Amino acid sequence: MAQRALPAGTISQRAFFGLLEADGWAWAFLKALFWFSAIIFALGYIPDRAYYFTVFPTIDLGTNIISPINFCDGMNRSLPCPAPPGSVIPWDTSPAQLALPAGRTEAQTVQFGTTLFLMGGQTADGPTDSVLQTTVTTDGNLAAWTDGPKLPAPRADATVVSFNGAPYVIGGLGPDGKPTDTVFVGDMENGSLKGWISGDQLESQKVPQPNLQLPEPLAGAVGIPGASSIWVIGGRTSDGVSNKVYRADLDTTIKPPTLQAFKEDVADALRDGTGAAAPRADAVGATTGSFLWLLGGVGADGKAVDTVMALALDTQGEPSGTWATSTGPANLPAPRALAAGWTANEGLYVAGGEDASGSPTNTFYWTIPDASTGSISGWHELSETDLPAASAGAAPAIVGSYAFLIGGQQSDAPVASSVRASLAPAPPFFRLGLIGATIPALSIKGEIGQQLGYLSAAGAGTLDFIVLILIGLGFSHREAVGRLAERLSRGRYKAPGKDEYFD
């Protein structure tokens, strides 16, 4: 019987389970891609992880797209794990040592360096000219309140902004309970507040400045400082709630740059989607990226509303359109006025405030608008992060990564206490996902941690570089490596050309 002979010619070798030509471009490309990725992983990713493993409290290995197993630090307390984006750690009432000398509501805060000021406000005796101050630390601690330079006259529900290195107290209710048109400018010296100058006295100063009195008396307006201007939006006048917008611009052609007089900005007056006037007072004002925000407040009828209004700004900080009024889930979950509000970590926060019936509430809402479009998909609320007690008219202050609500009104009486919440819930210290994990790390702080992190990264990179060199040498001397592997596996060595094994 004749044997079958192999076909003439060269038989090509197959690689990758026989799917690719061993000498083809596809197999060569896959090998090059593998080694390129291996080099990046060894000399880039691993040293990077080594650094963060040294200085961070946790480190991610891979990508935790879906993590069914999560463990969070106890400092988050009753928050879900992981904490929802933008949430805060539940509120705590500050100790009695940090209470105000007397109950106060509708005051405002401003911070310069390590000093936090609480300006004006409504007490049991009416508007006050008192200015209180305290020192702050980045870890969210306050000292006891002390007296600061008094305002030239009592003011409550005023607009207070920090602009061009000085505080501005704009409008507000006077001793008679009526809106005023005054502007008080802080007299700053080496970062310290020494006193106050009335807006109508600025022309007589060493650096002449136009009269900064408002065109009309206002209280409960929203003040937002921009890069080169101060916005005063809405508010109450002697005739009711206003939809007007006033603006004072910084003239940079003058040395030193000088703030010009407030003028009505007719083009940017508050209007709803139909173009009708939309008066607002006692609303929350904020700015995030390229948008000005007006959250809640009272309308023309004096009742709280749930609307959210936004004004888009261009790269120069100038309006690029008109006010847009949100609808549906973009509005607040319920009407709110005299709420405490702020922006942090690209989020908008609204705490407490009065509802449509004028009663204080303890709700805490937050949302994170789309940075490019300003759209809001909805607001969040957790029972765990609602305020300890219903409150309206509290003065918000952001100290480091903590939010304070100072004073306010509860049960028709101003209170002297304050509450504090951390804006930075701890992420899970351990997570197990489908294609990754989060594990605890060393978390060595300060410059020592940085230097040790650099050493860890350099050591990991050097070790990986040596391993890559050894792999390269192994591929270039395959026969010798094969003999060495055989010797290590059998404990014996076979000399080239010999059939005997030697120990």
Side-chain angles (χ1 to χ4, degrees):
M1 184 176 183
Q3 282 186 326
R4 291 185 179 181
L6 293 174
T10 304
I11 300 176
S12 60
Q13 295 182 345
R14 308 290 293 181
F16 201 66
F17 307 104
L19 298 178
L20 302 174
E21 291 281 352
D23 297 326
W25 283 106
W27 180 234
F29 173 78
L30 287 179
K31 289 192 294 184
L33 180 63
F34 170 81
W35 285 110
F36 176 78
S37 302
I39 292 172
I40 295 296
F41 181 81
L43 300 183
Y45 181 78
I46 292 180
D48 175 80
R49 298 293 88 185
Y51 172 83
Y52 287 111
F53 181 80
T54 305
V55 300
F56 274 32
T58 60
I59 181 173
D60 291 329
L61 303 176
T63 303
N64 283 308
I65 299 176
I66 300 177
S67 297
I69 300 176
N70 301 281
F71 296 103
C72 287
D73 195 298
M75 65 171 288
N76 288 1
R77 291 150 61 179
S78 57
L79 279 182
C81 182
S87 61
V88 303
I89 294 177
W91 297 84
D92 290 311
T93 302
S94 295
Q97 295 89 328
L98 299 183
L100 303 175
R104 186 179 306 204
T105 184
E106 298 178 27
Q108 298 290 335
T109 64
V110 67
Q111 183 176 341
F112 289 93
T114 59
T115 305
L116 178 69
F117 295 93
L118 182 70
M119 301 180 178
Q122 188 91 15
T123 67
D125 299 324
T128 179
D129 60 359
S130 167
V131 174
L132 301 176
Q133 64 185 46
T134 183
T135 55
V136 303
T137 60
T138 55
D139 58 359
N141 289 321
L142 302 181
W145 293 93
T146 59
D147 290 325
K150 290 186 176 182
L151 296 172
R155 291 293 181 266
D157 207 11
T159 299
V160 178
V161 298
S162 172
F163 182 78
N164 201 28
Y168 288 72
V169 179
I170 304 168
L173 299 175
D176 58 0
K178 296 180 180 180
T180 64
D181 61 0
T182 57
V183 176
F184 302 145
V185 184
D187 182 13
M188 305 298 292
E189 183 178 321
N190 297 325
S192 299
L193 179 63
K194 300 300 182 181
W196 297 92
I197 305 170
S198 296
D200 57 354
Q201 298 174 344
L202 289 171
E203 292 177 321
S204 62
Q205 300 303 304
K206 294 180 181 179
V207 180
Q209 189 166 326
N211 189 339
L212 289 181
Q213 282 183 276
L214 291 170
E216 64 176 336
L218 281 177
V222 167
I224 301 179
S228 59
S229 58
I230 296 176
W231 305 72
V232 177
I233 305 167
R236 286 189 176 88
T237 70
S238 56
D239 298 325
V241 183
S242 172
N243 79 319
K244 294 181 180 179
V245 173
Y246 296 107
R247 179 173 163 179
D249 295 323
L250 189 69
D251 189 345
T252 56
T253 64
I254 302 175
K255 302 298 182 182
T258 304
L259 191 66
Q260 301 303 294
F262 281 97
K263 296 181 180 179
E264 184 178 353
D265 190 347
V266 177
D268 297 315
L270 297 175
R271 301 189 182 278
D272 61 20
T274 65
R280 291 291 183 274
D282 296 331
V284 170
T287 177
T288 58
S290 302
F291 294 90
L292 296 182
W293 297 93
L294 208 61
L295 313 174
V298 298
D301 59 0
K303 295 183 178 180
V305 299
D306 62 358
T307 54
V308 173
M309 303 180 70
L311 179 64
L313 305 177
D314 60 21
T315 55
Q316 303 301 319
E318 296 295 323
S320 59
T322 57
W323 288 92
T325 304
S326 300
T327 58
N331 283 338
L332 295 174
R336 290 292 180 267
L338 281 175
W342 65 90
T343 178
N345 304 323
E346 300 182 353
L348 296 171
Y349 297 84
V350 177
E354 294 180 350
D355 59 18
S357 67
S359 301
T361 69
N362 71 331
T363 56
F364 179 73
Y365 304 137
W366 81 90
T367 187
I368 302 178
D370 184 276
S372 57
T373 64
S375 61
I376 296 175
S377 59
W379 291 79
H380 307 281
E381 181 189 8
L382 290 174
S383 59
E384 294 86 351
T385 59
D386 282 339
L387 303 181
S391 174
I398 307 304
V399 179
S401 61
Y402 290 86
F404 282 83
L405 300 182
I406 303 167
Q409 182 169 312
Q410 300 175 6
S411 303
D412 299 326
V415 297
S417 59
S418 61
V419 294
R420 184 185 82 159
S422 172
L423 298 171
F429 62 84
F430 178 79
R431 304 180 71 184
L432 184 60
L434 297 182
I435 54 175
T438 299
I439 61 174
L442 298 178
S443 187
I444 303 177
K445 304 297 183 183
E447 188 175 348
I448 294 178
Q450 256 193 347
Q451 298 300 325
L452 291 176
Y454 294 145
L455 289 175
S456 298
T462 302
L463 180 61
D464 290 345
F465 182 69
I466 294 172
V467 171
L468 289 174
I469 290 178
L470 293 177
I471 292 174
L473 290 173
F475 272 94
S476 61
H477 300 81
R478 295 188 182 185
E479 292 185 1
V481 172
R483 292 194 297 270
L484 178 61
E486 186 178 16
R487 179 182 179 184
L488 295 175
S489 63
R490 297 189 180 185
R492 296 183 297 170
Y493 174 68
K494 182 179 180 181
K498 303 291 185 179
D499 291 332
E500 298 85 4
Y501 284 92
F502 300 91
D503 291 329

